[in-house]
Amino acid sequence: MGFLGLLAEVHPDEAVRDLAEERTQRAVKAATERGLNQELFRVLSTIDGSSLDELSSRLLAKVLLEFRRSGIGLDEHSRDRIREISERTTIIDQDFSRAIRDDVRSIRVPVASLDGLPADFVEAHPPAEDGLVTVTSDYPDAVPFRMFSRDADARRALLLESNNRAWPGNDELLGELLDLRHEYATLLGYASWPDFDAEVKMVGDAAAIDEFIQKLSGAADAAGRRDRQRLIDRRALDVPGATSIDAADASFYSELVRRESFDVDSQELREYFDFQKVKQGLLDVTGRLLGLEYTAAPDAPTWHDDVSVYDVSVSGRRIGRIHLDLHPREGKYKHAAMFDITQGIAGEQLAEGALVCNFPTGLMEHSHVTTLFHEFGHLVHHIVSNGQKWANFAGIATEWDFVEAPSQMLEEWAWDPEVLRTFAVNSSGEPIPVDLVQRMRAADEFGNGLMVRTQTFYSAVSFYLHRDRPADRTAAIERHQDEYDLYRYIPGTHFQASFGHLTGYSSAYYTYMWSLVIAKDLFSAFDPSDLFAPEVAGRYRDLVLAPGGSKDAADLVSDFLGRPYSFDAFAAWLDEGPA
């Protein structure tokens, strides 16, 4: 279903997108019927697992578990209801995602509101005949505008529009989705959807997610409050008497603090991050790190002229193909994600995947660069874990709360001075100065606590909405934001309507932070003075990425580190910010 999902999100022809959604519904229906096939289950359940090799026995256990989780043991009436829920949730998922994708909001502002924006942004946003400029909620507009515009009212207006995308329709869909997921879980004997969902993840159960959210909140509290006070103090210079700050002003004042306290100007940084150079640098870095070779495949079929295609090889042996669709356009998915197209099966087929993002075609923010490295981490994980005996273990087939760890770790290469200097070059051909990268890192570490508290808020929304299923979801958003985020709720916003992770990740957004804990621990095995050291890089590729889902994630990490993962490296990272 990966390729169908991809076409539904990226194809330029609306009719093709609609057809892909319809065919996805058919595929989900077929998968549901397979999971309820009594005869197939009877045959598989009679197999003696002890007579199989270790990998096949592991597969059998997982397949039988999925049959149980699909409702195979229920009575006929309950199985029929499982079918209905599965089909309806698929449609809700598609409608929810489509509403976010298609609802591009905008504000119209005077030219003066662009004061502070980079020259290329201003050039790309000429005023209309009435003298007003249109700025949209799409990332290439919203990120720099909220970071650089000196017009506080305009920044707030854009945030309000962004946080009200797909409202109110998606809120109604979300309420139905939460109820259907709860019904599905309880039909199978679980107390709630989070209990059902957590069973097949590293975390194990819903109570452990709750505990992890509280642990995160406490661990980041001191650093987050320290960082927030620094932003408030800076805002008070512009707004005398200011004693608070919210998300509408956070990006702007974070940028000012980085510029004034750390001598880091994001507009200066942009001069070093030309998109084409960054893209090639990404391929060079990951190729060198993981022993991969990328060969352009200009004649490969694809869905849009913007898409570039590469064959991926190891030691001259082709192992897969990647498609890079990296710029925004009408009707396209609005965020950043990897979509699998085919799984790499030994002797049968090569792995193939697509990276879908929304970056500018010219100069990039450094945050865009780290996002590109992050998402590409998913893509190389999918390609490198090719050649599995069983399709169930091919690609990114690990527990979902480990999935982000390899991608989060790859971001570290987008922060290393020597790595950046290989592709971060300005128009005069000068590589980015080492001391500037060091200041960038110090400035970034300034916001660690704030970032973790905001991610804790997202995790809380994902988990508690599914556990509690409140009738007033906006009130729940306000309550959770005021408890977990260090930026308070902004009245009149309905974040849940455009929080796309509520469909795909359901109650498990916590996995981003769970994975980050592991990512920091994985990175501790690398020598900061030589991030390409072949011995450790090779071990990482072969022991963590290549096995796919053939081992439990905890065992993959233990194989690489020589010990179980711990919280220590993450806690140390939280404390790195300036006092």
Side-chain angles (χ1 to χ4, degrees):
M1 288 181 281
F3 188 51
L4 288 172
L6 172 67
L7 291 181
E9 296 288 4
V10 303
H11 201 281
D13 187 333
E14 184 178 5
V16 174
R17 297 198 299 269
D18 291 344
L19 179 60
E21 289 184 352
E22 187 272 329
R23 294 301 167 84
T24 297
Q25 294 169 22
R26 288 195 202 179
V28 170
K29 184 175 182 178
T32 301
E33 290 301 326
R34 182 186 62 192
L36 295 172
N37 188 312
Q38 298 286 319
E39 181 61 21
L40 179 59
F41 176 71
R42 185 191 66 77
V43 171
L44 291 172
S45 61
T46 60
I47 298 174
D48 179 8
S50 64
S51 66
L52 303 174
D53 63 74
E54 183 178 356
L55 199 58
S56 299
S57 179
R58 173 182 173 84
L59 174 65
L60 178 63
K62 288 187 173 294
V63 167
L64 293 177
L65 174 62
E66 284 308 309
F67 266 106
R68 181 175 64 78
R69 289 168 56 83
S70 297
I72 195 70
L74 300 178
D75 60 61
E76 184 176 357
H77 174 74
S78 297
R79 293 199 304 272
D80 287 342
R81 182 56 182 155
I82 287 288
R83 290 184 178 93
E84 294 171 355
I85 293 173
S86 177
E87 292 175 18
R88 178 58 186 157
T89 54
T90 299
I91 293 172
I92 292 175
D93 186 320
Q94 292 174 339
D95 290 348
F96 194 92
S97 298
R98 187 190 314 110
I100 298 171
R101 183 183 71 220
D102 293 347
D103 189 7
V104 179
R105 301 286 181 102
S106 64
I107 59 173
R108 303 192 73 237
V109 297
V111 173
S113 296
L114 302 188
D115 187 24
L117 270 295
D120 61 317
F121 185 99
V122 175
E123 182 180 353
H125 292 76
E129 290 183 3
D130 60 2
L132 297 180
V133 175
T134 298
V135 181
T136 75
S137 58
D138 281 349
Y139 287 166
D141 273 13
V143 171
F145 191 85
R146 289 174 55 193
M147 183 181 293
F148 299 121
S149 173
R150 296 191 179 102
D151 187 337
D153 290 339
R155 294 197 307 267
R156 184 168 298 274
L158 185 58
L159 178 76
L160 287 169
E161 292 297 335
S162 295
N163 280 8
N164 279 323
R165 286 172 298 146
W167 168 266
N170 267 6
D171 185 61
E172 297 174 8
L173 287 174
L174 178 60
E176 183 183 358
L177 180 63
L178 296 175
D179 288 342
L180 288 173
R181 283 174 169 166
H182 179 77
E183 183 183 358
Y184 186 101
T186 54
L187 278 172
L188 292 170
Y190 297 86
S192 69
W193 175 265
D195 286 287
F196 167 80
D197 190 60
E199 181 184 33
V200 291
K201 293 180 169 61
M202 295 179 76
V203 73
D205 57 50
I209 300 176
D210 195 355
E211 180 182 346
F212 182 66
I213 289 172
Q214 305 311 317
K215 184 175 184 178
L216 273 180
S217 183
D221 189 62
R225 291 181 185 278
R226 176 194 65 207
D227 295 345
R228 183 182 64 178
Q229 188 59 50
R230 198 159 183 172
L231 297 183
I232 293 171
D233 291 345
R234 178 58 188 83
R235 181 170 179 254
L237 297 179
D238 295 341
V239 184
T243 58
S244 64
I245 191 167
D246 61 27
D249 289 323
S251 293
F252 179 76
Y253 283 102
S254 294
E255 170 60 19
L256 281 184
V257 168
R258 292 186 180 103
R259 188 185 310 161
E260 296 170 358
S261 299
F262 300 95
D263 192 22
V264 174
D265 184 341
S266 291
Q267 294 198 39
E268 176 190 356
L269 287 178
R270 294 172 83 253
E271 297 297 323
Y272 293 98
F273 297 118
D274 172 79
F275 172 79
Q276 292 298 337
K277 292 186 177 70
V278 171
K279 176 185 168 185
Q280 186 58 52
L282 171 72
L283 298 177
D284 292 342
V285 168
T286 54
R288 181 180 173 191
L289 177 68
L290 300 173
L292 305 178
E293 304 152 14
Y294 302 99
T295 304
D299 296 328
T302 190
W303 52 90
H304 195 275
D305 290 342
D306 279 354
V307 181
S308 53
V309 183
Y310 297 85
D311 287 325
V312 186
S313 302
V314 174
S315 301
R317 178 178 58 88
R318 192 160 74 98
I319 63 171
R321 171 171 284 181
I322 60 174
H323 302 254
L324 305 182
D325 187 351
L326 303 179
H327 305 302
R329 60 179 176 272
E330 184 178 355
K332 180 187 166 186
Y333 181 76
K334 297 301 179 187
H335 302 293
M338 190 280 290
F339 291 79
D340 62 88
I341 297 175
T342 59
Q343 308 296 325
I345 314 282
E348 298 292 335
Q349 65 185 19
L350 299 178
E352 192 166 355
L355 189 59
V356 180
C357 301
N358 288 274
F359 299 123
T361 57
L363 300 179
M364 304 172 70
E365 312 295 336
H366 183 256
S367 61
H368 291 154
V369 178
T370 56
T371 297
L372 180 57
F373 269 70
H374 175 102
E375 298 300 340
F376 199 80
H378 290 305
L379 192 57
V380 293
H381 190 180
H382 174 70
I383 298 297
V384 169
S385 58
N386 75 95
Q388 297 294 326
K389 177 181 179 181
W390 301 109
N392 295 56
F393 299 146
I396 304 176
T398 61
E399 296 96 319
W400 203 248
D401 34 11
F402 177 74
V403 162
E404 298 294 333
S407 288
Q408 290 165 332
M409 195 188 77
L410 190 59
E411 292 180 36
E412 300 286 352
W413 276 257
W415 283 103
D416 182 78
E418 295 308 317
V419 172
L420 285 176
R421 284 170 64 82
T422 64
F423 65 84
V425 179
N426 65 17
S427 58
S428 300
E430 301 164 334
I432 191 168
V434 171
D435 68 308
L436 176 56
V437 180
Q438 292 169 339
R439 297 197 307 273
M440 285 165 54
R441 192 68 191 245
D444 181 67
E445 289 166 352
F446 150 71
N448 287 351
L450 281 169
M451 183 277 289
V452 171
R453 283 297 295 262
T454 296
Q455 290 291 310
T456 304
F457 159 57
Y458 297 158
S459 301
V461 168
S462 165
F463 177 72
Y464 296 122
L465 284 186
H466 278 87
R467 190 192 68 178
D468 303 335
R469 296 178 297 120
D472 188 339
R473 287 165 292 279
T474 298
I477 292 293
E478 180 177 1
R479 183 171 64 254
H480 295 318
Q481 186 159 11
D482 288 349
E483 180 174 359
Y484 294 105
D485 200 0
L486 290 176
Y487 301 123
R488 294 298 179 243
Y489 172 76
I490 296 178
T493 60
H494 307 89
F495 165 71
Q496 73 275 15
S498 60
F499 190 19
H501 288 83
L502 289 173
T503 54
Y505 276 70
S506 70
S507 57
Y509 189 89
Y510 80 90
T511 59
Y512 278 97
M513 287 293 98
W514 184 281
S515 292
L516 186 59
V517 169
I518 298 174
K520 293 298 180 184
D521 209 12
L522 289 172
F523 187 63
S524 69
F526 286 82
D527 181 354
S529 67
D530 184 7
L531 292 183
F532 295 102
E535 190 275 332
V536 66
R539 288 179 54 250
Y540 171 72
R541 179 195 64 202
D542 295 340
L543 298 178
V544 177
L545 301 183
S550 62
K551 284 189 173 184
D552 290 347
D555 292 333
L556 298 177
V557 177
S558 180
D559 289 347
F560 175 63
L561 294 176
R563 58 168 173 78
Y565 65 90
S566 79
F567 201 83
D568 295 346
F570 179 81
W573 169 77
L574 271 177
D575 289 338
E576 286 175 358

